[in-house]
Amino acid sequence: MTTTDTLGRTNGSCGYADLPRLMGLMTGDEKHGPAATSTLDVLWVLYDRVLRIDPGRPDDPERDRFLLSKGHGPMAYYAVLAAKGFLPVDWLPGFGSYDSPLGHHPDRTLVPGVEISSGSLGHGLPIAVGTALGLRAQGLHRPRVWVLIGDAELDEGSNHEAIAFAGPAGLERLHTVVVDNASASHARPGGIAARFEAAGWSTTTVDGRDHEALHAAFTAAHPGRPHVVVARVEPKDA
């Protein structure tokens, strides 16, 4: 399987510098622009350098699975998918319109490459845990599962249960990225990473705008344990 790093350069000429232009094509109400831009760098590094997903074979059983739990304000996600050839760029101007497949939350039945439909905060990490368990049960040991969540989602009890289960279960193929923009209602003693560490996860906290730091964190070894990367961004990015 070819990585999207290669596909991005051979199946279209869009790069990171093109993302503001692609996002600018999406207009209309309820854009949740700051929520989108807070995830932009994380999404780009994942799709450009980490994820093994081929837009020509989006249902390949050996693909990595990426689950967007922080689904409100999906403009950055759609821009990255368009840049990498998963969907046509000419879909972007219709964002949010009645007859557009690009809704205010991604729909897995309408948008190529989307693994889950988002909506309810706190559901992505539990689904990712189930996905990792399902792949293990099928004997599929190469695919990795990635889920992107917002720091405020950690207020949801479903995430605490998922965190508590995944560590002792040794879900090594499970990776979580928490975009931390200080929007959570309740502070956690020791910070976000401490909650995962207590449950046996491998943890790293990095600058969510630093592409090299993100890539190093995403590719760090964590044998026998799930891995979380806390990506800190400026608080104004909600």
Side-chain angles (χ1 to χ4, degrees):
M1 181 182 296
T2 310
T3 65
T4 54
D5 179 48
T6 301
L7 288 164
R9 283 189 266 275
T10 59
N11 188 23
S13 57
C14 293
Y16 178 75
D18 295 293
L19 296 181
R21 175 182 62 83
L22 295 176
M23 291 179 67
L25 297 174
M26 291 174 272
T27 60
D29 297 330
E30 298 185 26
K31 291 192 298 183
H32 293 287
T37 56
S38 70
T39 66
L40 185 64
D41 296 276
V42 164
L43 287 166
W44 179 255
V45 174
L46 282 173
Y47 274 89
D48 190 54
R49 302 172 63 181
V50 177
L51 294 174
R52 294 189 295 260
I53 309 175
D54 185 340
R57 302 171 61 196
D59 298 322
D60 189 327
E62 293 290 341
R63 73 190 184 281
D64 287 344
R65 273 69 166 176
F66 174 77
L67 284 60
L68 181 69
S69 188
K70 183 179 167 65
H72 61 289
M75 297 166 60
Y77 187 39
Y78 292 151
V80 170
L81 288 177
K84 290 301 179 182
F86 287 88
L87 57 90
V89 171
D90 60 13
W91 281 12
L92 299 179
F95 167 70
S97 63
Y98 175 76
D99 57 351
S100 173
L102 305 183
H104 295 300
H105 282 265
D107 186 327
R108 70 178 185 86
T109 67
L110 299 176
V111 185
V114 171
E115 296 282 354
I116 62 169
S117 301
S118 69
S120 177
L121 287 176
H123 79 312
L125 182 53
I127 293 176
V129 168
T131 301
L133 283 171
L135 291 170
R136 175 192 283 182
Q138 295 175 71
L140 295 172
H141 302 298
R142 187 168 184 263
R144 299 166 300 185
V145 180
W146 290 82
V147 57
L148 192 161
I149 68 177
D151 59 326
E153 289 188 74
L154 292 175
D155 291 343
E156 301 290 339
S158 56
N159 276 328
H160 289 285
E161 293 177 3
I163 293 166
F165 176 86
L171 296 182
E172 182 178 349
R173 308 307 284 172
L174 175 63
H175 306 74
T176 298
V177 185
V178 181
V179 173
D180 178 13
N181 49 34
S183 63
S185 300
H186 308 290
R188 290 168 183 78
I192 290 174
R195 173 67 186 90
F196 289 84
E197 288 173 357
W201 288 58
S202 165
T203 69
T204 306
T205 300
V206 297
D207 179 348
R209 300 299 187 194
D210 185 329
H211 290 197
E212 293 307 316
L214 286 168
H215 182 258
F218 292 161
T219 56
H222 50 96
R225 296 192 291 168
H227 183 54
V228 63
V229 176
V230 180
R232 290 179 171 167
V233 299
E234 51 273 29
K236 66 181 180 180
D237 284 348

